Amino acid sequence: MSTPETPQEPLLGNEPAPEATPAPTAHEHTDTLPSIEEQFRQLELKAAEHYDAWLRAKAEGENIRRRAQEDISKAHKFAVEKFAGELLAVKDSLEAALAVPEQTVESFKSGVELTLKQLVSAFEKNALIEVNPAGEKFDPHKHQAIGMVDSEQEANTVVTVLQKGYLIAERVLRPALVMVAKGKQ
């Protein structure tokens, strides 16, 4: 078994002379900067990384745009779904009324009134608001004047409503058809 050698401190006066490091010669001089080729290769790698990142971002943008278009398409396609579901009950009531073999005028009338209540309820649940402007000032945004009549009312006031109008979410779905007062002469 051998004993590990431990470095010993030199005794005073018996120290070996330090070895001189040779000065680099012109042929042994190493460049601290990478070569032009190496720099060019590094720049090409960086450019390729940036191009790849750009392509990925572009593809992601296209995917987001495509998904948004699909969502909009589905929203248009199924926007009426809730309202249509509400109207099914109204249709069922009308069919049930027609299926009764012997009806009296009173039973038929009460059935129609109940069906109308169902329809009004469906309208309310879906923000479909009736516009009945009798006695109001004429509003060309919500009303369509069919004609003017002599009246004791103030000029440009709705005298008669020929057909009710409807708003859906505060937007005119159908303007009310009205007769407007000419005013006192």
Side-chain angles (χ1 to χ4, degrees):
M1 193 156 143
S2 65
T3 60
E5 293 183 26
T6 56
Q8 296 179 356
E9 291 184 21
L11 299 174
L12 285 175
N14 292 340
E15 298 174 0
E19 294 181 24
T21 56
T25 62
H27 297 291
E28 295 175 6
H29 185 268
T30 57
D31 287 335
T32 57
L33 295 177
S35 67
I36 296 290
E37 290 83 16
E38 180 62 25
Q39 288 178 359
F40 184 70
R41 191 175 70 75
Q42 292 294 327
L43 290 174
E44 280 182 325
L45 289 174
K46 255 189 191 174
E49 283 179 32
H50 290 161
Y51 182 73
D52 185 52
W54 174 78
L55 280 178
R56 289 178 189 275
K58 182 180 176 187
E60 181 64 24
E62 287 295 317
N63 288 339
I64 289 170
R65 185 187 58 78
R66 182 185 46 78
R67 278 188 235 115
Q69 283 180 336
E70 287 174 1
D71 290 345
I72 290 170
S73 175
K74 286 178 184 176
H76 285 290
K77 189 175 184 179
F78 298 112
V80 75
E81 184 175 18
K82 180 182 170 193
F83 184 60
E86 296 289 330
L87 289 182
L88 291 177
V90 175
K91 183 180 183 291
D92 292 341
S93 293
L94 290 171
E95 288 174 344
L98 292 174
V100 175
E102 293 182 27
Q103 295 183 17
T104 64
V105 173
E106 290 302 314
S107 67
F108 189 74
K109 182 179 179 187
S110 67
V112 169
E113 288 172 347
L114 287 173
T115 303
L116 179 60
K117 285 181 184 178
Q118 284 179 322
L119 184 61
V120 168
S121 173
F123 282 6
E124 288 172 355
K125 288 178 184 175
N126 290 281
L128 188 58
I129 302 165
E130 184 179 281
V131 176
N132 189 1
E136 296 178 7
K137 268 299 214 192
F138 176 74
D139 180 355
H141 300 291
K142 294 181 182 178
H143 313 141
Q144 182 176 348
I146 299 300
M148 297 186 86
V149 294
D150 291 326
S151 174
E152 295 295 317
Q153 293 181 343
E154 185 179 329
N156 292 326
T157 302
V158 174
V159 177
T160 308
V161 178
L162 302 172
Q163 185 180 58
K164 296 175 187 174
Y166 289 91
L167 302 175
I168 187 162
E170 302 298 321
R171 192 174 183 182
V172 175
L173 179 64
R174 179 179 82 186
L177 298 179
V178 297
M179 297 295 283
V180 181
K182 284 185 185 177
K184 301 173 188 173
Q185 291 183 354

